[in-house]
Amino acid sequence: MKIESAKVIVTCPGRNFVTLKITTDQGVYGIGDATLNGRELSVVSYLEDHVIPCLIGKDPRRIEDIWQYLYRGGYWRRGPVTMSAISAVDTALWDIKAKMAGMPLYDLLGGKSREAVMVYGHANGIDLSETVDEVGRYIDMGYRAIRAQSGVPGIKDAYGVGRGKMYYEPADAALPSETVWDTRKYLNFVPKLFDKLRDTYGFDHHLLHDAHHRLTPIEAGSLGHRLEPYQLFWLEDATPAENQEAFKLIRQHTTTPLAVGEIFNTIWDAKDLIQNQLIDYIRTTVVRAGGITHLRRIADFAAIWQVRTGSHGATDLSPVTMGAALHFDVWVPNFGIQEYMRHTPETDAVFPHDYTFDKGFLYPGETPGHGVDIDEVEAAKYPYKPAYLPVARLEDGSMWNW
Ligand code: CS2
Ligand code: MG
């Protein structure tokens, strides 16, 4: 059995998605997500110019060997462009193998460890009262877990506050838009938000919050401490994770659970945080961290240290990643939670899929493979449109972490 052809499909049904489709000489095909928000075309080039020529003629059943070939054999290891490309190949090959086996992907991984995948939705508002209402709306939709982000008084365009409510889309301009950040105002506001949320809705739902890399370690420790009465499920990306020692300082000051990893690409990015038990949830995902093959290595390693999974699932990850992630989630023993931002109806039409949402849980379907396809005719209606994520500056003009 051989890989006969592989092609990259770029489509923009509201936002850009890059999809790899691998076809075998027996007519079976598999698809993988290769979308890297704001840097989409670098992954397209990496795949078309450097990966696809090496794939043609290879045996698609040898998923592990192809992974090692692309990772070790590429010499220049890791990084988001390389790893998104490897992820796409790996996801497409697992899709093919599961289709050939006539099994949903989770069965090939070892079968279900649970019946359903608990997800968290995104409630956000321009101010405290709108955010409180939004959380209520998510509770009414049946969500068990809700991430709350709010506009902060005195800060224009705070992270996580969408224009259209259901479909938050930060990559909003052909060149990066500039936002202004003020940590003092943010730290002053966030405990009030969670105080109001617990006061209004009680403690039966999981609440989450994403600081999106904005804080220093000591600020993060202080915020975590002040949020303890509200029992968050997690505080995410409290500080940038390049320097992982920083998390020791945060841990010294708070028992609020910590989640990190949406921008990590390999087990090496996560190793120290996990084995030193400096985090509680690892947010690496299928598209960013080497596909199913590598993600399961990270999850197995994390299990030893009682760190659970909490995969990234923003709308810039295509339904292909969401489908594959759900098969992974339903299998992985140390599952924690799955992020779920709904895609637009246009995106859902480009990527027909069999996963379903019910009362706060997602369910992978039973179709052989990962259950997500691409409608190429539909995809062709939406050509690539340059779109960047914003950048952030402090009030004095210094660049900050967005
Ligand atoms: C975020 C993302 O979902 C999250 O937790 O941090 O919205 C992130 O900003 C985007 O995926 C960036 O592309
Ligand atoms: Mg995040």
Side-chain angles (χ1 to χ4, degrees):
M1 188 171 189
K2 286 187 170 56
I3 295 176
E4 193 171 74
S5 64
K7 69 171 170 181
V8 181
I9 302 156
V10 181
T11 179
C12 185
R15 67 159 344 284
N16 293 310
F17 294 110
V18 178
T19 309
L20 176 69
K21 181 171 183 175
I22 297 180
T23 305
T24 69
D25 59 356
Q26 297 185 8
V28 184
Y29 68 87
I31 61 172
D33 181 19
T35 310
L36 183 59
N37 203 3
R39 296 291 185 273
E40 294 89 354
L41 299 185
S42 24
V43 190
V44 174
S45 162
Y46 195 99
L47 283 167
E48 287 181 342
D49 298 329
H50 307 295
V51 172
I52 290 176
C54 307
L55 290 179
I56 307 303
K58 285 209 163 31
D59 184 341
R61 292 170 297 190
R62 296 183 61 175
I63 300 177
E64 186 65 52
D65 185 61
I66 291 176
W67 197 97
Q68 300 291 339
Y69 182 90
L70 294 174
Y71 183 83
R72 290 175 193 264
Y75 189 63
W76 310 108
R77 295 184 186 186
R78 307 162 65 194
V81 175
T82 300
M83 296 310 292
S84 299
I86 293 179
S87 301
V89 173
D90 190 78
T91 307
L93 294 180
W94 278 101
D95 193 25
I96 289 172
K97 194 180 275 294
K99 282 178 178 171
M100 282 165 39
M103 291 178 184
L105 176 56
Y106 64 75
D107 262 339
L108 212 53
L109 294 174
K112 285 185 181 175
S113 301
R114 59 194 55 76
E115 299 308 321
V117 173
M118 183 171 73
V119 298
Y120 69 91
H122 284 213
N124 56 72
I126 50 164
D127 57 19
L128 189 142
S129 84
E130 197 180 284
T131 308
V132 172
D133 290 349
E134 275 299 297
V135 169
R137 207 157 69 86
Y138 274 79
I139 291 173
D140 292 345
M141 284 190 283
Y143 282 82
R144 313 291 217 260
I146 301 143
R147 180 184 106 157
Q149 305 292 141
S150 173
V152 175
I155 299 183
K156 204 175 154 288
D157 296 328
Y159 161 77
V161 183
R163 270 160 286 268
K165 283 281 163 295
M166 291 302 282
Y167 311 112
Y168 170 62
E169 179 45 78
D172 59 355
L175 287 172
S177 45
E178 300 218 351
T179 60
V180 179
W181 178 250
D182 184 332
T183 301
R184 180 86 292 282
K185 289 173 184 151
Y186 168 82
L187 289 177
N188 187 27
F189 173 77
V190 175
K192 290 180 195 152
L193 171 66
F194 284 91
D195 187 53
K196 185 71 185 166
L197 287 172
R198 286 306 189 199
D199 195 43
T200 311
Y201 302 115
F203 282 77
D204 285 351
H205 295 86
H206 297 299
L207 294 178
L208 301 83
H209 183 70
D210 189 350
H212 220 255
H213 319 279
R214 301 297 168 86
L215 307 176
T216 64
I218 198 69
E219 288 165 350
S222 164
L223 178 63
H225 178 64
R226 290 168 65 215
L227 290 175
E228 279 165 24
Y230 314 116
Q231 297 174 31
L232 265 59
F233 188 91
W234 77 36
L235 174 62
E236 176 184 338
D237 287 340
T239 198
E242 284 108 325
N243 172 19
Q244 310 207 339
E245 290 279 305
F247 284 78
K248 285 191 185 153
L249 189 61
I250 305 176
R251 277 289 210 222
Q252 280 166 16
H253 293 284
T254 183
T255 55
T256 292
L258 302 175
V260 173
E262 67 182 41
I263 66 168
F264 289 178
N265 306 125
T266 70
I267 197 166
W268 303 104
D269 296 330
K271 173 177 84 69
D272 293 346
L273 285 175
I274 291 172
Q275 71 185 1
N276 293 318
Q277 293 178 286
L278 296 176
I279 56 171
D280 302 279
Y281 296 92
I282 180 69
R283 279 178 49 68
T284 43
T285 189
V286 177
V287 62
R288 211 55 71 235
I292 297 287
T293 297
H294 195 68
L295 193 61
R296 85 188 276 174
R297 263 174 206 137
I298 298 175
D300 282 342
F301 180 69
I304 298 171
W305 309 100
Q306 298 193 43
V307 172
R308 292 191 286 157
T309 65
S311 283
H312 189 204
T315 34
D316 49 284
L317 317 185
S318 92
V320 180
T321 286
M322 184 53 70
L326 292 174
H327 284 265
F328 185 84
D329 293 339
V330 92
W331 158 74
V332 70
N334 49 324
F335 173 73
I337 200 166
Q338 169 70 49
E339 181 179 17
Y340 174 49
M341 277 170 92
R342 288 160 190 265
H343 288 106
T344 59
E346 294 78 20
T347 300
D348 285 341
V350 171
F351 296 98
H353 53 262
D354 67 352
Y355 57 80
T356 47
F357 175 85
D358 188 37
K359 300 188 189 76
F361 294 93
L362 276 173
Y363 296 81
E366 303 291 316
T367 320
H370 56 46
V372 187
D373 206 344
I374 183 161
D375 180 333
E376 294 186 53
V377 175
E378 203 58 33
K381 290 184 190 164
Y382 307 103
Y384 168 77
K385 197 169 152 225
Y388 279 90
L389 290 168
V391 296
R393 290 187 189 276
L394 303 182
E395 281 175 324
D396 70 0
S398 316
M399 277 297 293
W400 199 242
N401 317 310
W402 180 73

